[in-house]
Amino acid sequence: MMKDVVENAVWEKTQALIQDKYGKRIAFKTIDLTNSAMPSFLEGDDLIVPLNTKPVYLGEVIVNRGSLLSTQQREEVIDLIRFLVEPHVYNKHLKLKEEIEAYKRQMAAEAVENEDSNVLSLFNDEDIEELSLVKLINSVIHLRSANAMTRKKVALKIHDMAEQNLFVSFSDIARQMHSVEEFKSFDKTTVFVEDISQLNDQELGLLNAACALKVEGLVFIIGSNLADKQIDTLNMSRELKADMNAILFDIDRLPFAQQTSTDVLELLFFSSSNSNIQN
């Protein structure tokens, strides 16, 4: 996974920003379990930023001679790494996990069919064509902002960039739903949750079950102004909480002019197998 992380537009742009503004280079290494649960810390002259995406420890970013930065500069570098790199690495982790599961399923199918071929094809031609396209990295996206209108504006921008057909409010359709299975009929649809903290237990249960379906083309954009610890207290699955804490845009941390920037949203939420996203 290390090669996938550092040979990517997100990593390259983050490294260039830190180099240009702070004169420091960064490196990535797989997780050291002795440091994984720690906050950022100094090791010699270097600043170490563990990537602690719940419930998975993903690795560490090393800021070369980061100890020479001022306290404010260190905080800015840490925020930049956690804002851009952490969701990117978590996405790589999910993708690798999915590929392993796909491999296991394929191997099981091969064993049942007792085929003599020595070549294992994980993807058919349609899959390869689809992978060549720029697309959303996850079916669940969390937008955090104190302003409800700002959350909706960013959600609509992501919806347009993903070329989805229909944008609907979760609160509107939840009242009409008789079963979570009805979500399977939604094609290229963005379901927008205006504020997850306003949902009752029944609505939270429906949202949790719908997100777990992983229907192709069905995207949930969840708005809130909740801190990570508050998300952990919500009555929903560990997987959905992990997605909300990892696939996250802290909108208010960016200047107003950049909150709907195509470049920023591409880096955070879109991927391409050909790495052809324009920076």
Side-chain angles (χ1 to χ4, degrees), residues 15 78 88 113 117 158 162 194 216 241 243-244 271:
Q15 182 168 255
I78 292 167
H88 160 60
E113 295 171 6
S117 172
I158 294 171
E194 291 89 346
E216 183 69 25
K241 292 176 184 178
D243 277 347
M244 286 187 63
S271 66

Side-chain angles (χ1 to χ4, degrees), residues 133-186:
L133 302 176
V134 174
K135 60 180 183 179
L136 287 168
I137 63 173
N138 202 51
S139 60
V140 175
I141 290 172
H142 178 201
L143 302 180
R144 180 155 57 200
S145 173
N147 189 309
M149 289 301 296
T150 299
R151 296 195 296 263
K152 186 169 185 178
K153 181 171 65 174
V154 176
L156 285 166
K157 177 71 173 182
I158 294 171
H159 167 79
D160 289 341
M161 290 172 63
E163 298 182 349
Q164 296 281 89
N165 292 332
L166 187 64
F167 185 93
V168 297
S169 167
F170 177 79
S171 59
D172 289 342
I173 62 173
R175 302 186 190 101
Q176 307 169 31
M177 286 285 177
H178 300 291
S179 167
V180 69
E181 297 297 314
E182 295 180 46
F183 279 100
K184 292 182 178 179
S185 64
F186 285 44

